[in-house]
Amino acid sequence: MAIKRKSKLRASKAAKSSTAKLGPTKIAIIEDAEATGDVAAAYDFWRAGSGRRQVPGIIKCFGARPDFLRQVIEFSNTVHFSEGHLSRRHKEMIASHVSFLNRCPY
């Protein structure tokens, strides 16, 4: 029984170390400082709609496709953040917690 636990622990450590070499994500993230042209415009579009200054990672992961990013933002605003039983703040808190539980880096 102890041998199985040790081998599982070793496998878990090996998986973590290989993930660290790859970086936090496999998706190229375009940071605010690097954003130009359509990407910068899409980030500004998100900021204008959200009222927040810092663009979250989940938005940045679509930066390689700014045309699609705008569609994602519009869809998200319509479906996720429209008025309903829960406020936008509560919906974002739930989404953040689910991302944490799924170990999502963005």
Side-chain angles (χ1 to χ4, degrees), residues 40-55:
Y43 286 1
D44 289 340
F45 177 71
W46 180 84
R47 282 188 196 94
S50 70
R52 294 169 47 192
R53 283 190 245 154
Q54 186 175 4
V55 178

Side-chain angles (χ1 to χ4, degrees), residues 25-97:
T25 69
K26 294 180 182 180
I27 299 170
I29 302 293
I30 299 175
E31 297 295 338
D32 286 336
E34 302 164 355
T36 60
D38 290 342
V39 177
Y43 286 1
D44 289 340
F45 177 71
W46 180 84
R47 282 188 196 94
S50 70
R52 294 169 47 192
R53 283 190 245 154
Q54 186 175 4
V55 178
I58 192 67
I59 298 297
K60 291 177 186 176
C61 77
F62 292 103
R65 289 278 316 275
D67 57 322
F68 184 64
L69 172 55
R70 264 193 191 264
Q71 292 175 5
V72 168
I73 293 168
E74 290 170 353
F75 178 78
S76 179
N77 288 340
T78 301
V79 175
H80 296 127
F81 301 120
S82 60
E83 290 301 316
H85 295 288
L86 299 175
S87 67
R88 179 183 180 126
R89 179 180 176 152
H90 285 101
K91 290 175 185 178
E92 287 195 29
M93 288 176 13
I94 292 167
S96 295
H97 186 69

